């Protein structure tokens, strides 16, 4: 178990400094609640299209508008995909699952109840093993259940903020689309693990092809519960809930900030109040809006318009058979060859299968990982379109061909019929006899910079190297240029 | 357990979003108390080991295939709408 | 030829059509004329259709059943202006057979009541005695069929809303097995109890209409395939095992005239070859009403929450969403829905769920098991449908608990999801007495057969004496 609040993230995040006096004596307790939008063809309880776009309210029907008399009919595929996710999370699949009504009034909730699951969810008691640098951290999954999404409210006001709105406009297109809600045990004790868990979960649902899980589109959303307690105790103190975060690093920062705040309160002899922190995803820098939680009484009861779901062994076995090796296991396996960090980046970036192909085709594992995690990602190419053999040739020749040629080739590596050969013929210029006159000419043309460099401003080295690379059209070997600029200056 | 306090009447009225005047609170408090008195009879039975029945039909797995059907045209979507702003339903601010 | 709507059964009206003795329009107009003549006194209809399309005979439809393009108010101010943009499945089924909606009939608001006095648009009146209630909640459909304003009608039954008005108005009404008739498009009261059913002048019409509206519907997850309906022809009851639950025939509050009429019908049944034996439902009758008035309000509290003034129906002003919703619901809902919504919310709320709703669900199991056990020994159970004949308008309206006891005999089988049918079996104080036949799950054909034979033997004239 992790103690203290130290982060294991290689690049230190800009979060609050938690190593102040006494910080080591507090243990954060973090639980997550994640909603993932399933990418079925139709909604959860009606056969309206489930998808983005379309004029407001154009993807609606009597059921998702809650017209009098309309009744829900569950989507078989949504049920199956939830079971699949449950299996991927090592959950027990219920022999009998029941939909419940969760009652509350809001403009985006047209029935004034959400059909959800309560004490008989489809999936329960699972876990996700999150690989870390120091081995695997097992995060318990309390449950994964199926429910319907709400409509979209647009709060119309001059300021664009909720407060002071003059009207609420409602678009029911999203209303009733299938959502899987995943709830973790409070097994997470630092922001970095929370972030890793979320990334791994995201990759898992994407690979299962259940969801696009795009944070920016809201097809994956999560709330974080944070509390702290004296290290070594097992009490559960008052927690605050962080809502509306739209990126994993933003979440990690928010968690660290909240942990620090709670520690400060306790150390000042105060009491943490139960409240919800609403972040404004559009303005990451603005402080979260805090709201006291109104005592909710959702009056859950079994949804009488629906009958139970009894998946049966055959269905569960059939779905289990479709599961491939999951991302967590692949990180652990790849970390035997690469650093944990590289393995994590490759897998959660959806690049590890291509990496494996590159290595199989003869590329150096570390080189291949570097190229994929940097230039390849930057070029925005779909890994599925790439001929691994050609890319492997390119990776292996990276040091020998001009940078410009490499970049150009990489940009085209996803094109049909791409061949690396024309680029491999271009050779990098490493001959000092050829390079020195050019370098000297550039030094002479920039006497002021040269003087500054000599008086200790070493950062100007890059200025000269850049000029040389430009002058040579990128064909110079940067390593040699570096060396020679230093020498000639 | 048959009593219902004034505060409880106000609480359930709020939960159900029903505005009650003071006179109504008093009237409903008395009527609800009488009804609760009558329905509390269910607690007389020994129900240990009796499972609940949520539904009289003993069937499971009634579902539909994931195949789209036509949605409503917008004029039907809004045919009964009390207030509309473009293609949105409009309500006072939430 | 003149169409005598007071006397005509649906089967006979249809016969006029097929033999080309009258056109669909002539028949439709005859009923419109009857409505024009007698409905001002009875107020059976909330809306009359001038010329609904179709080639067949008319049908009256309880106003909780959604009809495309035709107002559907559920007897509530909150839906006063609501016109559905889609047909309920039962209406679609009727239209497929050419049936023409002649109008929407009065109902207690959201089908909550036993007298139709809870309609926001004023009560209906009993055709046998307009100073009395026609029963409820389907009093409008009952009065319409009884007074010859429609050859038949659709009703809906949650705890007795088809059977009890049929008893009080002296005709036939079936509450089908739960799950045999689609609820899609029907304004919901209590989803695990609501069933649409036929209201008719005789058992054959009732069976035929049931065959039209029943069957699995892909838009209602709680429907199932239904055994083929057999139109009854039997004249005797040979081999039929009738159970007579003593609690349902000796319950407190059953009027002497009611007991006597049912008793003589049972003697008639024996003479037609049935075996009649006393049996017992010890807890179903005692606890049924309490159980029902927890389960139904709990479900109703959620079902009626959608009337929030956003997408349809009444909207009252408010500074914010919450205030608008509270004012809308205060203005739009009557006292009975308010009472039941609050009871339901209370029964489901934190701290009370186990004691109320949770306990009621277990009592429901007890009721179901008691009935299941009896149907191992009997083909049908028989009792009075209503403990009393039609009571005067206003007699019980100020005492909700007394009103709830009207349904003491119809509720238990509803809780168990079982079919029940009312036939008139005689008069008491000049008013009809109803007899209820309860069958096992999917036992409609048995009920039809028994009810038809009994109906023939009893020979009750369904035309109210004062209209003959
Ligand atoms: Mg949820
Ligand atoms: Zn829809």
């Amino acid at each position: 178990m992790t103690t203290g609040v130290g982060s294991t993230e290689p690049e230190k995040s800009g979060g609050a400094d938690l190593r102040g006096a006494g910080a080591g004596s507090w243990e954060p307790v973090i639980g997550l609640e994640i909603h993932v939008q399933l990418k079925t063809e139709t909604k959860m309880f009606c056969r309206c299209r489930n998808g983005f776009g379309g004029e407001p309210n154009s993807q609606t029907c009597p059921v998702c508008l809650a017209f009098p008399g309309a009744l829900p009919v569950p989507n078989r595929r949504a049920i199956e995909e939830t079971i699949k996710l449950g299996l991927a999370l090592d959950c027990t699949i219920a022999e009998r699952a029941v939909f419940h009504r969760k009652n509350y009034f809001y403009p985006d909730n047209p029935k004034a109840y959400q059909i959800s699951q309560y004490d008989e969810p489809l999936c329960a008691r699972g876990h996700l093993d999150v690989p870390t640098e120091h081995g695997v951290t097992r995060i318990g999954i309390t449950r994964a259940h199926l429910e319907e999404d709400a409509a979209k409210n647009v709060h119309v006001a001059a300021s664009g903020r909720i407060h002071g709105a003059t009207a609420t406009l409602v678009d029911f297109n999203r209303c009733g689309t299938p959502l899987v809600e995943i709830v973790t045990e409070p097994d997470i004790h630092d922001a970095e693990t929370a972030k890793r868990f979320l990334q791994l979960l995201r990759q898992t649902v994407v690979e299962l092809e259940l969801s696009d899980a795009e944070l920016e589109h809201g097809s994956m959303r999560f709330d974080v519960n944070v509390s702290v307690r004296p290290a070594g105790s097992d009490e559960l103190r008052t927690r605050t809930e962080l809502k509306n975060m739209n990126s994993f690093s933003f979440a990690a920062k928010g968690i660290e900030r909240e942990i620090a705040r709670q520690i400060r309160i306790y150390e000042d002899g105060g009491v943490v109040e139960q409240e919800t922190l609403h972040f404004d995803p559009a303005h990451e820098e603005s402080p979260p809006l805090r709201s006291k939680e109104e005592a909710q009484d959702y009056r859950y009861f079994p949804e009488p318009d629906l009958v139970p779901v009894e998946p049966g062994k055959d269905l569960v076995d059939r779905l289990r058979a479709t599961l491939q090796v999951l991302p967590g296991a692949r990180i652990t396996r790849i970390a035997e060859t690469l650093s944990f960090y590289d393995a994590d980046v490759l897998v959660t970036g959806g690049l590890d299968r291509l990496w494996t192909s590159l290595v199989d085709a003869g590329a150096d594992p570390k080189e291949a990982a570097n190229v994929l995690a940097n230039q390849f990602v930057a070029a925005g190419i779909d890994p599925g379109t790439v001929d691994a053999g050609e890319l492997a040739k390119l990776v292996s020749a990276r040091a020998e061909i001009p940078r410009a040629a490499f970049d150009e080739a990489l940009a085209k590596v996803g094109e049909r019929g791409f061949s690396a050969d024309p680029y491999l013929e271009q050779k990098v210029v490493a001959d000092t006899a050829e390079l020195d006159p050019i370098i000297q000419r550039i030094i002479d043309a920039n006497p002021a910079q040269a003087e500054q460099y000599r008086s200790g401003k070493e950062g100007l080295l890059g200025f000269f190297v850049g000029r040389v690379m430009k002058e040579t059209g990128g064909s110079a070997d940067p390593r040699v240029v570096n060396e020679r600029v230093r020498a000639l200056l | 357990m048959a009593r219902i306090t004034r505060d409880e009447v106000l609480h359930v009225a709020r939960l159900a979003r029903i505005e009650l005047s003071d006179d109504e609170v008093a009237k409903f408090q008395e009527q609800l108390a009488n009804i609760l008195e009558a329905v509390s009879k269910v607690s007389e039975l020994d129900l240990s080991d009796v499972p609940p029945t949520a539904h009289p039909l003993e069937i499971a797995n009634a579902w539909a295939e994931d195949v789209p059907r036509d949605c409503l045209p917008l004029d039907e979507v809004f045919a009964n709408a009390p207030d509309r702003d473009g293609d949105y339903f409009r309500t006072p601010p939430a | 030829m003149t169409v005598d709507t007071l006397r005509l059964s649906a089967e006979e009206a249809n016969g006029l059509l097929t033999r080309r003795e009258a056109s669909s329009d002539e028949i439709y107009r005859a009923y419109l004329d009857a409505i024009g003549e007698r409905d001002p006194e009875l107020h059976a209809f909330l809306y009359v259709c001038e010329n609904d399309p179709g080639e067949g005979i008319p049908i009256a439809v309880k106003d909780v059943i959604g009809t495309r393009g035709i107002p559907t108010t559920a007897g509530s101010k909150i839906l006063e202006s609501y016109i559905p943009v889609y047909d309920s499945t039962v209406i679609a089924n009727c239209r497929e057979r050419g049936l023409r909606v002649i109008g929407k009939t009065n109902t207690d608001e959201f089908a909550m009541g036993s007298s139709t006095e809870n309609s926001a648009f004023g009560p209906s009146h009993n055709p046998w005695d307009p100073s009395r209630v026609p029963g409820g909640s389907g009093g409008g459909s009952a009065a319409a069929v009884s007074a010859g304003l429609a050859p038949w009608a659709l009703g809906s039954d949650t705890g007795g809303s088809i059977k009890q008005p049929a008893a009080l108005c002296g005709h036939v009404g079936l509450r089908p097995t739960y799950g045999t008739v689609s609820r899609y498009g029907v304004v919901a009261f209590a989803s695990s109890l609501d069933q649409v059913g036929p209201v008719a002048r005789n058992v054959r019409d009732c069976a035929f209409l049931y065959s039209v509206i029943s069957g699995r519907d892909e838009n209602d997850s709680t429907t199932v395939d239904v055994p083929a309906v057999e139109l009854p022809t039997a004249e005797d009851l040979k081999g039929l095992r009738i159970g007579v639950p003593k609690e349902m025939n000796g319950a407190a509050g059953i009027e002497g005239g009611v007991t006597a009429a049912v008793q003589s019908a049972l003697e008639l049944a024996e003479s037609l070859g049935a075996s009649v034996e006393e049996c017992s439902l010890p807890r179903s009758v005692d606890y049924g009403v309490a159980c029902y008035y927890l389960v139904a309000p709990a479900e109703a509290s959620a079902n009626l929450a959608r009337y929030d003034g956003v997408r349809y129906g009444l909207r009252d002003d408010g500074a914010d969403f919450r205030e608008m919703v509270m004012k809308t619901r205060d203005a739009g809902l009557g006292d009975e829905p308010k009472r039941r919504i609050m009871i339901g919310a209370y029964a489901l709320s934190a701290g009370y769920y186990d004691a109320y709703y949770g306990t009621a669900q277990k009592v429901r199991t007890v009721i179901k098991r008691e009935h299941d056990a009896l149907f191992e020994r009997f083909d049908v159970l028989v009792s009075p449908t209503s403990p009393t004949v039609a009571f005067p308008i206003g007699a019980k309206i100020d005492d909700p608990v007394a009103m709830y006891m009207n349904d003491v005999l119809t509720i238990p089988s509803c809780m168990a999801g079982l079919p029940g049918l009312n036939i008139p079996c005689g008069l008491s104080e000049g008013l009809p007495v109803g007899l209820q036949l309860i069958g096992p799950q999917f036992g409609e054909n048995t009920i039809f057969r028994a009810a038809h034979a009994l109906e023939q033997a009893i020979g009750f004239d369904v035309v109210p004496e004062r209209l003959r």
Side-chain angles (χ1 to χ4, degrees), chain A residues 79-87 93 122-123 311 315-316 319:
Chain A
I79 290 169
E80 294 191 354
E81 303 208 324
T82 305
I83 294 171
K84 233 160 89 177
L85 177 58
L87 292 170
I93 307 303
L122 258 177
C123 319
L315 175 64
V316 174
L319 294 170

Side-chain angles (χ1 to χ4, degrees), chain A residues 34 82-83 85-87 89 91-94 97 117 120-126 141-147 179-184 201:
Chain A
I34 304 101
T82 305
I83 294 171
L85 177 58
L87 292 170
L89 297 174
C91 288
T92 304
I93 307 303
Q117 299 190 287
E120 297 178 79
L122 258 177
C123 319
R125 296 179 305 282
I141 303 291
T142 313
R143 54 189 285 144
H145 74 241
L146 191 49
E147 59 185 30
L179 276 187
V180 176
E181 178 180 317
I182 302 142
V183 181
T184 75
L201 180 66

Side-chain angles (χ1 to χ4, degrees), chain C residues 248-326:
Chain C
M248 296 181 87
N249 288 272
I254 301 183
E255 293 172 351
V258 169
T259 308
V262 171
Q263 197 45 48
S264 58
L266 282 169
E267 283 159 19
L268 206 51
E270 252 180 327
S271 73
L272 292 173
S275 68
V276 176
E277 193 188 320
E278 189 179 83
C279 60
S280 179
L281 285 169
R283 288 166 296 184
S284 298
V285 182
D286 257 10
Y287 295 92
V289 172
C291 178
Y292 175 85
Y293 279 98
L294 285 167
V295 171
E299 294 182 11
S301 72
N303 282 333
L304 270 63
R306 66 185 57 196
Y307 305 104
D308 60 5
V310 176
R311 285 144 288 118
Y312 44 78
L314 188 73
R315 148 93 60 108
D316 208 342
D317 287 335
D320 58 17
F321 174 72
R322 185 194 175 93
E323 188 184 310
M324 180 278 285
V325 176
M326 293 194 76

